[in-house]
Amino acid sequence: MGLVLNDIAATTELKTDDLVNGVIEWASIESPSLDANAVNRMVDQVKLEFETAGLEIERTPGEDGWGDLIRGRAPGSMRANKGILVVSHIDTVHPIGTKETGNPIRIEGDKLYGPGTYDMKAGAYIAFYAYKRLIEEGGESKLPITFMYVPEEERGSPYSRKFIAEEARKAKYVLVTEPARDGGKVVVERKGSARYKIVAEGRPAHSGSKHEYGRSAIKEIAKHICDIEAWTDYDRGVTFNVGVITGGSGVNVVPQHCALEVDSRFVRLGDGQEFETKLLSLAPYDPDVTLKVTGGIMRPPMEATDAILGLFERARAYSQEHDLDLEYTSRTGGGSDGNLTAAEGVPTLDGLGADGYGAHQLDEHIYISSLKPRARTWMKLIERLD
Ligand SMILES: [Zn+2]
């Protein structure tokens, strides 16, 4: 309509102090995934800030004990054309109290420490801050934009996944605020993941007087551990990790119960599916022992398609205008909600959050110097993507 393009994202002043204070405020509201009340305190905070930025809010009550899911849409975002979906999670892996004892919130030089700072309160904050500043300066996005903050990503988004997929199908691009990797790199591909639980039930017996009558569930599970671990094939990009075993009731009892839990990662969906079939149809070695296998693929792999690499190139060009040169990391084993959106065929760029170190660790921190250039890149993506 003859409007001159205002390149607000390139010229707006961004203040590191504002970013730091925002991240500290969000990190101070501790929000472990399994504590719905705590997560909802964080949702309250997000809601407040969404309202000040004029976003239209949709708060979906959590089910099955999860916190709420909150979406903020720019006014007019319900219009028909496909837009930008920003996906963040506001839960963390850290229990309440970590900010006081485990990893006190503090600044040491360029490092801002605190539970969930890196994964991913900072990323969640800078994306929103970039949008807020754009609006404050009278700018707007070319495309409809929706911010979606998920309450249980660290648990695999069992509740949110259907909403994530649904929103992704309405989007032209998905931007994910997970932490940057390996020195500020973004993520264009991720392995898929699967989880399984195998429960064996044998027959208990006195190990002294009736050993021959017993059927050991532990012995059964032990054989499967060796089989499953041996399926790991690094060249094929497939790994299996039996991370948990439980079983037995006493050293003088042939064990009736034993269970294992296994986490699997894979580069190709076909491999994930092949092993899913294999695991779900596992037969017991001992015909007198029963096996029950549950689980399956949690997140399909995110593959670096041409569309994803194209989106990356745009982000990179934007970053280069302001002293940042975004690169992408080679495939990462960790999954995220980006796997779910990419599986819907929507170009997804992940790892656009803050640079830092120590996700899920007690020395978790972000680099303060990474906040402003990344917020700037966010602002450009939000203003310019079309
Ligand atoms: Zn995360």
Side-chain angles (χ1 to χ4, degrees):
M1 287 182 263
L3 287 175
V4 178
L5 172 72
N6 293 319
D7 199 355
I8 290 171
T11 53
T12 294
E13 190 192 1
L14 300 176
K15 293 203 179 94
T16 298
D17 279 356
D18 290 349
L19 285 157
V20 168
N21 291 337
V23 176
I24 289 177
E25 194 171 0
W26 284 25
S28 301
I29 306 169
E30 293 181 293
S31 48
S33 321
L34 294 178
D35 186 337
N37 290 329
V39 170
N40 282 340
R41 281 194 289 276
M42 189 59 217
V43 178
D44 293 340
Q45 173 72 22
V46 170
K47 179 170 177 281
L48 208 71
E49 302 216 29
F50 277 3
E51 279 165 355
T52 63
L55 292 168
E56 290 160 5
I57 288 155
E58 188 177 342
R59 182 169 179 164
T60 312
E63 287 169 18
D64 308 321
W66 301 115
D68 300 347
L69 176 82
I70 184 163
R71 280 168 274 190
R73 299 180 204 278
S77 283
M78 296 304 278
R79 59 184 190 259
N81 48 334
K82 293 190 164 196
I84 302 168
L85 174 65
V86 178
V87 182
S88 295
H89 66 81
I90 49 172
D91 61 321
T92 80
V93 300
H94 304 287
I96 299 278
T98 307
K99 70 172 179 180
E100 271 105 32
T101 50
N103 186 12
I105 295 177
R106 66 199 188 276
I107 292 172
E108 290 176 13
D110 189 38
K111 296 173 181 171
L112 167 56
Y113 286 85
T117 45
Y118 177 53
D119 186 13
M120 56 138 90
K121 296 282 174 72
Y125 188 77
I126 57 178
F128 167 72
Y129 175 84
Y131 173 77
K132 188 179 74 164
R133 288 294 293 127
L134 184 68
I135 297 307
E136 283 169 356
E137 297 297 321
E140 61 174 351
S141 57
K142 286 200 178 69
L143 297 175
I145 182 161
T146 299
F147 291 85
M148 181 173 205
Y149 285 44
V150 170
E152 28 59 298
E153 190 275 344
E154 295 291 2
R155 296 283 163 163
S157 310
Y159 167 63
S160 302
R161 54 177 52 226
K162 64 176 183 290
F163 300 102
I164 295 167
E166 193 181 288
E167 285 294 341
R169 288 193 288 271
K170 290 188 269 178
K172 187 171 182 184
Y173 306 107
V174 176
L175 306 174
V176 184
T177 73
E178 286 285 354
R181 303 299 160 105
D182 313 325
K185 297 190 173 84
V186 298
V187 176
V188 296
E189 54 185 345
R190 285 179 184 275
K191 286 183 181 175
S193 63
R195 281 184 195 170
Y196 303 90
K197 184 167 186 177
I198 304 176
V199 178
E201 181 163 4
R203 189 193 297 154
H206 192 292
S207 67
S209 58
K210 277 283 188 187
H211 189 279
E212 69 286 357
Y213 177 75
R215 296 290 182 272
S216 170
I218 288 181
K219 190 168 83 182
E220 176 72 27
I221 284 290
K223 291 176 178 167
H224 293 288
I225 292 172
C226 297
D227 291 347
I228 292 167
E229 290 271 352
W231 293 343
T232 291
D233 184 339
Y234 298 119
D235 292 335
R236 194 175 165 187
V238 179
T239 60
F240 288 86
N241 179 58
V242 177
V244 178
I245 51 170
T246 51
S249 59
V251 73
N252 59 347
V253 183
V254 176
Q256 182 183 8
H257 300 288
C258 189
L260 70 77
E261 288 175 61
V262 58
D263 169 289
S264 172
R265 310 284 164 135
F266 44 90
V267 169
R268 280 171 294 274
L269 184 60
D271 288 340
Q273 288 164 335
E274 180 189 321
F275 284 105
E276 185 179 63
T277 306
K278 209 162 162 174
L279 270 155
L280 293 177
S281 57
L282 214 59
Y285 278 90
D286 183 337
D288 294 333
V289 176
T290 60
L291 281 187
K292 205 177 102 198
V293 187
T294 52
I297 292 174
M298 301 268 297
R299 292 180 175 120
M302 169 176 165
E303 295 176 45
T305 59
D306 288 347
I308 287 179
L309 293 172
L311 182 57
F312 164 76
E313 285 305 333
R314 291 183 76 166
R316 180 176 201 190
Y318 297 163
S319 76
Q320 286 169 333
E321 295 168 16
H322 277 90
D323 306 324
L324 181 67
D325 186 8
L326 277 185
E327 293 175 56
Y328 64 80
T329 185
S330 59
R331 189 178 299 125
T332 165
S336 93
D337 290 331
N339 293 60
L340 303 175
T341 60
E344 297 298 327
V346 187
T348 298
L349 202 53
D350 199 346
L352 285 163
D355 192 10
Y357 176 81
H360 302 191
Q361 298 175 194
L362 288 177
D363 57 353
E364 179 172 358
H365 60 264
I366 55 165
Y367 304 129
I368 293 169
S369 55
S370 78
L371 296 175
K372 209 159 91 172
R374 299 182 85 88
R376 176 80 65 196
T377 302
W378 266 102
M379 232 173 141
K380 290 177 182 172
L381 286 165
I382 292 169
E383 186 179 32
R384 297 179 187 175
L385 280 181
D386 54 14

